[in-house]
């Protein structure tokens, strides 16, 4: 005798029922948890920017953010201004706004600007908004933190680079969506991020050169800070190339702003 | 009772899902370059497999046989999405550490294998024990592979340097030891798994097939 679960009609009803139940369950869960997840992502951006500025709770070897309960207050106290530079598809500066001007125009905090969407907008021939966060690092030096976004081996990689007026790196934070653990995922390890400290983004002549994540360079201890190179991670060539590319491509756009600072 | 305890104990040794059934190899190769990643993946699989086996077992009499694989896949994918959402909302730091592994759980053939081979024919309690046992058996191998790959490949364990400093040449590195970069590449995970299989079959001849 045929079992009732073998009937086609039963199979179709079961499939429809399962899809409805699972769909409703996941939709309910996702919409209920969305405000909490968005809030976590907002705090993470603040923690990332503060980390690059040097405001973190690092121990000897590991990278530790300032805790989430302290992050909003630390962000308000240490980030003195948020600048938004609008550039066209050729990288020409159209306008520069401070936080209040930008907030008045868009009703959005500059640190919530989605770099990925801005990159897509400029590719489509539109303008691009470049956020820049100004603050003082724990040494009392004025630093400018810029977000960067690019591609690793498997998925997106991104980061925040803190620079001084001469475009010398004063801190960096990198993160990834799905790089290989133990290899490309190590871009968010202290030993890799710390190597960027003090590296020059410009040549001696003041032209933009960026920083190359270099394999087999002659400076594994990274003593030479003017060679525009840091030591690569073994076995993570493509992720390293992705870091190089996003630094060169995204930070270059800030050069006119830094040049204008010198003119002041 | 003794039969129930075998559900937990057998997958740890003589019926291990990786070394005997040769399942779950893909994720064992992908994420074992670090010991921490191996531990995190093991715990995630433990949860999904324990709960998934119970859910499939409860549904075993109403799932149509024609679409049972799709139904199993929906259960495991739903569980994984729930784990991911809940972690993102309530344990954001942990969710970032887990990001890549949570997605990988869906591709783990051990989970589908146990749903198909055990949960569809047994009650929830025994299915739960079977899920936990197999996840532990999987986890043990992952942790052994992760231990050797991280130790020999990076000279660290859970990120802590244990062999000295390779750049400053201290500890073992002062004697001329070098980290073996091959250990960080996926093919070496396969070789480490192969060595475990070899050791296991040498110790227990009954496991050797003719």
């Amino acid at each position: 005798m045929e079992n009732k679960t073998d009937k086609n009609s039963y199979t179709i009803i079961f499939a429809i029922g399962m899809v409805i139940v699972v769909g409703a369950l996941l939709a309910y869960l996702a919409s209920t948890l969305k405000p909490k997840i968005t809030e976590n992502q907002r705090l993470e951006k603040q923690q990332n920017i503060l980390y690059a500025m040097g405001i973190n709770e690092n121990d000897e070897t590991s990278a530790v953010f300032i805790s989430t309960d302290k992050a909003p207050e630390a962000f308000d106290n240490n980030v003195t201004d948020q600048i938004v530079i609008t550039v066209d598809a050729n990288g020409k500066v159209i306008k520069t706004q401070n936080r209040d001007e930008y907030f008045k125009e868009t009703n959005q905090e500059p640190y919530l600007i989605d770099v990925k969407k801005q990159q897509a907008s400029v590719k489509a021939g539109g303008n691009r908004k470049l956020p820049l966060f100004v603050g003082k690092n724990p040494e009392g030096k004025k630093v400018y933190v810029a977000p960067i976004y690019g591609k690793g081996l498997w998925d997106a990689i991104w980061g925040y680079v803190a620079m001084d007026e001469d475009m010398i790196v004063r801190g960096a934070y990198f993160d990834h969506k799905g790089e290989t653990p133990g290899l490309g995922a190590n871009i968010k390890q202290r030993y890799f991020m710390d190597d960027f400290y003090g590296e020059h983004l410009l040549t001696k002549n003041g032209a933009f050169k960026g920083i190359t994540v270099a394999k087999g360079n002659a400076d594994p201890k990274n003593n030479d800070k003017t060679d525009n190179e840091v030591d690569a991670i073994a076995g993570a060539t493509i992720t390293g190339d992705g870091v190089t590319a996003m630094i060169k491509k995204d930070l270059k756009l800030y050069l006119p702003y830094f040049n204008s600072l010198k003119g002041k | 009772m003794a039969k129930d305890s075998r559900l937990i104990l057998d997958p740890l040794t003589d019926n291990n899902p990786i070394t005997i059934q040769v399942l779950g190899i893909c994720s064992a190769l992908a994420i074992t370059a670090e010991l921490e990643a191996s531990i995190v993946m093991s715990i995630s699989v433990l949860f999904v497999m324990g709960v998934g086996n119970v859910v499939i077992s409860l549904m075993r009499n109403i799932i149509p046989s024609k679409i049972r694989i799709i139904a199993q896949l929906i259960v495991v994918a739903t569980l994984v999405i729930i784990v991911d959402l809940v972690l993102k909302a309530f344990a954001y730091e942990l969710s970032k550490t887990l990001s890549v592994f949570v997605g990988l759980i869906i591709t783990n053939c051990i989970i589908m294998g146990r749903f198909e081979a055990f949960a569809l024919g047994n009650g929830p309690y025994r299915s739960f024990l079977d899920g936990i046992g197999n996840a532990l058996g999987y986890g043990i191998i992952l942790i052994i592979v992760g231990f050797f790959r991280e130790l020999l490949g990076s000279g660290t364990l859970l990120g802590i340097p244990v062999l000295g400093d390779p750049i400053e040449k201290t500890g073992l590195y002062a004697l001329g030891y070098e980290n073996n970069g091959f250990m960080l590449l996926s093919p070496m995970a396969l070789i480490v798994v192969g060595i475990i299989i070899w050791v296991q079959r040498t110790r227990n001849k009954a496991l050797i097939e003719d």
Side-chain angles (χ1 to χ4, degrees), chain B residues 60 71 89 92 178 202:
Chain B
R60 68 188 186 282
Y92 196 67
E178 291 281 347
T202 309

PDB file of all heavy atoms in Angstrom, chain B residues 60 71 89 92 178 202:
ATOM      1  N   ARG B  60      10.528  13.039  10.928  1.00  0.00           N
ATOM      2  CA  ARG B  60      10.848  11.909  10.058  1.00  0.00           C
ATOM      3  C   ARG B  60       9.624  11.219   9.457  1.00  0.00           C
ATOM      4  O   ARG B  60       9.700  10.667   8.367  1.00  0.00           O
ATOM      5  CB  ARG B  60      11.739  10.889  10.770  1.00  0.00           C
ATOM      6  CG  ARG B  60      11.069  10.129  11.911  1.00  0.00           C
ATOM      7  CD  ARG B  60      12.111   9.299  12.655  1.00  0.00           C
ATOM      8  NE  ARG B  60      11.504   8.431  13.666  1.00  0.00           N
ATOM      9  CZ  ARG B  60      11.089   8.844  14.863  1.00  0.00           C
ATOM     10  NH1 ARG B  60      11.188  10.128  15.195  1.00  0.00           N
ATOM     11  NH2 ARG B  60      10.568   7.979  15.720  1.00  0.00           N
ATOM     12  N   ALA B  71      14.410  18.843   2.014  1.00  0.00           N
ATOM     13  CA  ALA B  71      13.893  19.182   3.344  1.00  0.00           C
ATOM     14  C   ALA B  71      15.036  19.228   4.365  1.00  0.00           C
ATOM     15  O   ALA B  71      15.099  20.136   5.206  1.00  0.00           O
ATOM     16  CB  ALA B  71      12.843  18.160   3.763  1.00  0.00           C
ATOM     17  N   ALA B  89      23.322  39.687  16.484  1.00  0.00           N
ATOM     18  CA  ALA B  89      22.573  40.587  17.357  1.00  0.00           C
ATOM     19  C   ALA B  89      23.098  40.573  18.792  1.00  0.00           C
ATOM     20  O   ALA B  89      23.175  41.612  19.427  1.00  0.00           O
ATOM     21  CB  ALA B  89      21.099  40.207  17.340  1.00  0.00           C
ATOM     22  N   TYR B  92      28.202  40.032  18.794  1.00  0.00           N
ATOM     23  CA  TYR B  92      28.716  40.550  17.525  1.00  0.00           C
ATOM     24  C   TYR B  92      30.182  40.190  17.298  1.00  0.00           C
ATOM     25  O   TYR B  92      30.578  39.799  16.205  1.00  0.00           O
ATOM     26  CB  TYR B  92      28.514  42.063  17.492  1.00  0.00           C
ATOM     27  CG  TYR B  92      28.656  42.640  16.113  1.00  0.00           C
ATOM     28  CD1 TYR B  92      27.734  42.332  15.118  1.00  0.00           C
ATOM     29  CD2 TYR B  92      29.714  43.482  15.792  1.00  0.00           C
ATOM     30  CE1 TYR B  92      27.851  42.850  13.849  1.00  0.00           C
ATOM     31  CE2 TYR B  92      29.839  44.007  14.514  1.00  0.00           C
ATOM     32  CZ  TYR B  92      28.907  43.687  13.549  1.00  0.00           C
ATOM     33  OH  TYR B  92      29.035  44.190  12.284  1.00  0.00           O
ATOM     34  N   GLU B 178      63.066  26.617  10.992  1.00  0.00           N
ATOM     35  CA  GLU B 178      62.252  27.546  10.181  1.00  0.00           C
ATOM     36  C   GLU B 178      60.812  27.055  10.187  1.00  0.00           C
ATOM     37  O   GLU B 178      60.566  25.846  10.171  1.00  0.00           O
ATOM     38  CB  GLU B 178      62.743  27.552   8.721  1.00  0.00           C
ATOM     39  CG  GLU B 178      64.112  28.168   8.505  1.00  0.00           C
ATOM     40  CD  GLU B 178      64.083  29.697   8.497  1.00  0.00           C
ATOM     41  OE1 GLU B 178      62.981  30.256   8.420  1.00  0.00           O
ATOM     42  OE2 GLU B 178      65.173  30.293   8.607  1.00  0.00           O
ATOM     43  N   THR B 202      46.882   1.387  11.711  1.00  0.00           N
ATOM     44  CA  THR B 202      48.003   0.562  12.177  1.00  0.00           C
ATOM     45  C   THR B 202      47.707   0.010  13.572  1.00  0.00           C
ATOM     46  O   THR B 202      48.022  -1.139  13.892  1.00  0.00           O
ATOM     47  CB  THR B 202      49.305   1.404  12.213  1.00  0.00           C
ATOM     48  OG1 THR B 202      49.452   2.036  10.961  1.00  0.00           O
ATOM     49  CG2 THR B 202      50.518   0.539  12.491  1.00  0.00           C
TER      50      THR B 202
END
